[in-house]
Amino acid sequence: MQIHPTAIISKKAELADDVSVGPYSLIGDNVIIGASTKIGAHCVIEGFTSIGKSCVIFTGAVLGSCPQDLKYKGEKSFLAVGDNNIIREYCTFNPGTGSGGRTIVGNSNLFMAYSHVAHDCVVGNNCVIANNGTLAGHVTVEDNVVLGGLAAIHQFVRVGMLSIIGGCSKVTQDAPPYSTCDGHPAVVYGLNLIGLKRHNISKDSIKQLNYVFKILFNSGLTLKHALKEIEKEIKPVLEVSYLIDFVKKSQRGMAHSCRK
């Protein structure tokens, strides 16, 4: 291990042999850090926190400190961060709240400076959270999402896979998969065509998604009636089936169209 002499690391913490820790960083009793992870200067990693392999954590990040939740009374809760994540300067990740609560971050994500992941969030894989992107408690961010700088996601909101959220947006309802959303509150502008093409989604699937988006968000139908219309008219491809299932499971309601 490459441990700077000013770093303070609990003897109870579990660090892989090739972990490096920079000056003045603090690592608590119940922390587990995987192979080849690099921790910069002045970082604090505490609580029941596990960090996977080959992560890079930059100056001043605070991971695993008590959740910012008035209901939290010191119960044992957890933060689990996967492999190959880049966590830039002064990011803050909180563990779950309540006994056994968990915040889970997947693999290969980029969290730019000052990003915040609150208690009980779930972040998937290959996401980009730009500077000051903020997730409130119990937020779910699915795979391959791009969250613009200064965007804020309301508690319990879900952000669907392969969606992109514009900078400074206020997301108060679920953002559908494959969408482009922006605004105060965020509304749906259409498909994330660039993201779909970059992930090799077929032209037929994109065509069907475009048709389904028109019915869901621009037909004037309620979501309930729009879903009936879609199920009556088409035999959906995989991506459309996923979108329909996402809409049906929405608890906070879906973001509206920009045309409303």
Side-chain angles (χ1 to χ4, degrees), residues 219-246:
S219 66
L221 296 172
T222 65
L223 283 178
K224 181 178 179 180
H225 288 94
L227 289 170
K228 287 184 178 179
E229 188 73 16
I230 292 165
E231 291 172 344
K232 180 176 69 176
E233 288 194 19
I234 66 172
K235 185 177 181 180
V237 294
L238 177 64
E239 291 80 11
V240 170
S241 294
Y242 189 85
L243 171 61
I244 291 170
D245 186 62
F246 185 96

Side-chain angles (χ1 to χ4, degrees), residues 191-203:
L191 286 178
N192 177 15
L193 289 172
I194 293 175
L196 288 166
K197 291 174 182 177
R198 284 177 177 171
H199 286 82
N200 299 313
I201 305 300
S202 71
K203 290 182 179 179

Side-chain angles (χ1 to χ4, degrees), residues 89-106:
E89 295 82 358
Y90 304 102
C91 288
T92 51
F93 293 8
N94 293 157
T97 192
S99 181
R102 289 183 181 275
T103 299
I104 300 172
V105 175

Side-chain angles (χ1 to χ4, degrees), residues 7 13 15 26 42 54 59 63 68 70 84 94 126 130-131 137 141 145 165 178 194 197 199 201 208 220 237 250:
L15 278 63
L26 172 64
H42 297 277
S54 301
T59 300
L63 310 180
Q68 300 175 98
L70 294 174
N84 300 301
N94 293 157
N126 303 301
N131 299 64
V141 177
V145 166
I165 309 297
Y178 319 116
I194 293 175
K197 291 174 182 177
H199 286 82
I201 305 300
Q208 197 172 117
V237 294
S250 178

Side-chain angles (χ1 to χ4, degrees), residues 127-194:
C127 296
V128 176
I129 312 296
N131 299 64
N132 289 101
T134 299
L135 310 182
H138 301 277
V139 164
T140 297
V141 177
E142 297 186 341
D143 294 347
N144 301 299
V145 166
V146 177
L147 181 66
L150 294 162
I153 314 297
H154 193 281
Q155 61 187 4
F156 293 100
V157 161
R158 298 178 304 152
V159 181
M161 67 184 299
L162 267 173
S163 60
I164 182 167
I165 309 297
C168 300
S169 291
K170 180 176 75 172
V171 184
T172 59
Q173 293 182 296
D174 293 348
Y178 319 116
S179 67
T180 298
C181 298
D182 187 53
H184 303 267
V187 293
V188 179
Y189 278 82
L191 286 178
N192 177 15
L193 289 172
I194 293 175

